[in-house]
Amino acid sequence: MYNKIILAGNLTRDVEIRYTQGGSAIGSTAIATSRKFKSQTGEQKEEVLFVDLTFFGRTAEIANQYLRKGSKVLVDGRLKLDQWTAQDGTKRSKHSVTVENLQMLDTKGQSEQMAAQGGYNAPVQQDTYSQPAPSQQSAPQQPQQQQAPAQSIPEIDINEDEIPF
């Protein structure tokens, strides 16, 4: 089976980050995406969808550092069904996305404007960040300085035998 979802939209809140006992980062936020259409009566309508996102490892740290509420992003990952029992005993569920790849869509001018309003910590170029293989998710690392746009995407050597799925 194939489980892949791609969403583009705006973050509805700042990224919240926490760390496991092993030092791996876990980030969570949500995305709002919409579509416009005409109803059968010819009326223009807009449908908005809100989806929770979960980032892991270096991708979570990058999202926490550069993304804020309102940031435009493109994410792809796996759709996940979360189920739980509420305090009143009812069974609840919701879909969320475990992010594998993150692409920041804000332009440099937009990110500088958000920084002036207390948003971004630093200007962001249109970069793509991928979730590294589980064996590479170790203790948090310091962000690397980008020297040139051609070097903005790090090379990741993935050994297929180390992927647990």
Side-chain angles (χ1 to χ4, degrees):
M1 295 291 152
Y2 191 68
N3 181 359
K4 184 71 135 185
I5 186 167
I6 301 170
L7 295 170
N10 296 356
L11 296 185
T12 61
R13 61 181 185 265
D14 289 349
V15 177
E16 299 170 11
I17 194 164
R18 62 186 195 281
Y19 291 89
T20 64
Q21 290 179 344
S24 296
I26 301 173
S28 61
T29 187
I31 189 172
T33 185
S34 63
R35 75 178 186 105
K36 293 181 181 176
F37 62 96
K38 284 189 179 180
S39 67
Q40 292 178 344
T41 61
E43 180 183 357
Q44 188 73 17
K45 292 193 171 192
E46 183 175 19
E47 176 182 79
V48 180
L49 178 67
F50 299 95
V51 180
D52 288 338
L53 303 176
T54 305
F55 303 94
F56 291 97
R58 185 73 180 125
T59 306
E61 293 172 345
I62 290 168
N64 183 56
Q65 181 178 356
Y66 294 110
L67 299 177
R68 297 291 175 256
K69 178 179 178 179
S71 297
K72 290 178 175 39
V73 295
L74 174 76
V75 295
D76 73 66
R78 299 181 315 270
L79 191 62
K80 178 182 164 195
L81 179 63
D82 299 321
Q83 297 177 327
W84 70 96
T85 303
Q87 290 181 345
D88 62 1
T90 59
K91 292 189 177 190
R92 305 287 309 266
S93 64
K94 70 174 179 176
H95 282 94
S96 64
V97 174
T98 301
V99 176
E100 294 173 343
N101 295 302
L102 163 68
Q103 185 169 357
M104 300 174 196
L105 300 179
D106 286 329
T107 64
K108 186 176 180 180
Q110 289 170 323
S111 61
E112 287 174 350
Q113 181 182 11
M114 287 187 73
Q117 298 172 353
Y120 292 120
N121 294 331
V124 179
Q125 296 175 355
Q126 188 169 356
D127 294 333
T128 302
Y129 297 95
S130 297
Q131 176 66 32
S135 64
Q136 295 175 347
Q137 293 180 4
S138 58
Q141 301 172 2
Q142 294 296 324
Q144 297 177 356
Q145 293 291 331
Q146 293 181 356
Q147 294 178 353
Q151 298 175 344
S152 64
I153 302 174
E155 291 294 324
I156 299 175
D157 183 25
I158 297 176
N159 183 348
E160 295 293 327
D161 296 333
E162 297 175 357
I163 299 175
F165 49 90

